Amino acid sequence: MSVSPADPRVGVWLIGARGSVATTVIAGCAAVTAGLHAPTGMVTETDLFADCGLPTLPSLVFGGHDTVDCPLPKRAEALAAGGVLPQGLPSAIAAELEAADREIRPGGPVPGDTRDPSELVDTFAADIRDFVRRCGLVRAVVVNVASTEPAHAGTALPPSSLYAAAALRAGCPYVNFTPSTGLHHPALASLAESSGLPYAGRDGKTGQTLLRSVLGPMFAQRALTVRAWSGTNLLGGGDGAALADPAAAAAKNAGKERVLADTLGAAPEGETHIDDVPALGDWKTAWDHIAFDGFLGTRMILQTTWQGCDSALAAPLVLDLARLTARAHEAGVTGPLSELGFYFKDPMGEGLSALGEQYAALAGFSGRLRGLTGEGR
């Protein structure tokens, strides 16, 4: 596919731009655009979003912030060696990876960084505005795909919130695909509300919680009593290392447990544990053990195993969210995009946690976008 003159260029600015998820997003978009692979996992490429005016995949331009300096082509080669990307893909899309890598700017704060929070926000916002100007973009969406931070405590803005503030200052919609604080910081509430921008998040729903958002409603709708629901996650890579921190794991698990409480009507007994297994790399295994009562108090068990590649699960969702949020911005939609709760463990705005109800809301959003017009197309 090629970009026609009628396709305005739209930026996707990734926080954590050299990480596994970001690299898979950029490589995947290039592969689908070139016709090398099908857009498997992209809801925005189904009939549900036909004629909604979403930016085309070839029109997307990538850049971002990161605190590491490993070039995207080398990162992609490592992911291919680990089975995350298809063999041969990094060389087939080398030009696209190199182009995106040239648009990545240093993130922060880093050890020894003397800049105060205000200076960091100014720098990040200037980087984003410069990206939009130099690349001739009609708009850009900022998406946080960086490693998980510890749960927020205190009044200081954590890095995820500095980037979120920079996105708003640059006039860009913001999506938080992580459980990190982002726009959830109290100091940013009024800024987000007054920004006139759409925003969405948080914590992408890619595996274990996706399954829970289907099974929880099943038990409730069949009037089966769940006595306990316990889970374990084994994962490696950057997320595994980050989630080895108990505070970061607590932030991640909060969304997983919220889905159960919302869909079952009350939180069942049991906990979810996250274990860092570096040898697994980008692959993860999740087990759930569900104890429930049937008719006449008959005790039963359901056990599930989910094995998947985190980046391959996340990347199509990130592309969906960037396109949907960009279209909402173009059409003049503002505030939290609760209709995008389908993609998140902890959605912003009002909404339910059952996947079927979330999909119905997403379908309604597609109709809403189809009926909206906006400047810039």
Side-chain angles (χ1 to χ4, degrees):
M1 290 185 288
S2 60
V3 184
S4 73
D7 288 332
R9 288 155 61 87
V10 173
V12 181
W13 188 263
L14 300 165
I15 309 304
R18 291 192 172 109
S20 296
V21 172
T23 305
T24 307
V25 167
I26 297 165
C29 185
V32 174
T33 295
L36 300 175
H37 290 273
T40 305
M42 290 190 64
V43 180
T44 53
E45 285 293 296
T46 65
D47 290 342
L48 179 64
F49 284 97
D51 303 319
C52 282
L54 302 183
T56 63
L57 291 176
S59 74
L60 300 182
V61 181
F62 295 94
H65 283 115
D66 209 319
T67 56
V68 301
D69 56 9
C70 177
L72 278 177
K74 286 191 175 297
R75 185 67 179 134
E77 290 170 3
L79 291 177
V84 178
L85 297 179
Q87 291 293 326
L89 182 61
S91 60
I93 57 167
E96 289 86 346
L97 292 171
E98 290 166 0
D101 196 65
R102 288 193 294 270
E103 299 299 335
I104 298 175
R105 299 294 178 265
V110 295
D113 205 325
T114 60
R115 294 171 294 178
D116 64 28
S118 179
E119 290 175 306
L120 287 165
V121 171
D122 286 344
T123 299
F124 298 156
D127 289 338
I128 299 167
R129 286 193 295 263
D130 185 55
F131 171 64
V132 172
R133 178 188 58 78
R134 285 185 303 97
C135 295
L137 309 176
V138 292
R139 61 186 45 82
V141 177
V142 176
V143 186
N144 182 15
V145 290
S147 295
T148 302
E149 294 173 342
H152 165 67
T155 59
L157 291 178
S160 65
S161 296
L162 297 176
Y163 289 119
L168 300 184
R169 186 169 298 181
C172 295
Y174 173 79
V175 176
N176 188 2
F177 199 73
T178 81
S180 301
T181 304
L183 282 181
H184 276 70
H185 196 287
L188 299 183
S190 61
L191 178 63
E193 185 176 352
S194 63
S195 68
L197 296 165
Y199 44 90
R202 68 183 164 169
D203 200 1
K205 185 163 55 184
T206 59
Q208 183 181 43
T209 310
L210 177 67
L211 192 58
R212 288 181 171 192
S213 69
V214 175
L215 293 178
M218 178 195 74
F219 284 108
Q221 290 162 5
R222 281 295 181 94
L224 298 170
T225 302
V226 174
R227 292 183 292 107
W229 197 315
S230 302
T232 296
N233 280 259
L234 308 178
L235 70 163
D239 244 9
L243 294 172
D245 180 345
K252 187 78 171 178
N253 283 333
K256 293 177 179 289
E257 293 164 0
R258 187 177 298 107
V259 167
L260 295 181
D262 288 350
T263 58
L264 296 174
E269 292 182 7
E271 297 180 348
T272 301
H273 299 276
I274 299 177
D275 294 330
D276 177 26
V277 185
L280 292 179
D282 204 56
W283 299 82
K284 65 180 180 181
T285 296
W287 292 300
D288 270 350
H289 184 282
I290 308 158
F292 66 99
D293 289 344
F295 191 50
L296 305 180
T298 305
R299 293 200 161 188
M300 292 177 266
I301 298 292
L302 172 64
Q303 294 179 334
T304 67
T305 302
W306 178 286
Q307 294 179 303
C309 174
D310 206 34
S311 296
L313 291 165
L317 310 187
V318 173
L319 288 169
D320 277 353
L321 287 163
R323 299 173 80 192
L324 291 166
T325 308
R327 176 68 179 108
H329 183 227
E330 176 196 20
V333 179
T334 64
L337 299 176
S338 59
E339 299 96 333
L340 301 188
F342 176 76
Y343 293 97
F344 298 106
K345 298 183 184 74
D346 184 18
M348 301 186 80
E350 299 296 324
L352 299 173
S353 296
L355 192 70
E357 294 168 326
Q358 291 176 331
Y359 185 77
L362 183 67
F365 189 60
S366 72
R368 183 183 175 195
L369 291 180
R370 201 172 286 114
L372 289 171
T373 60
E375 299 178 357
R377 289 190 71 81

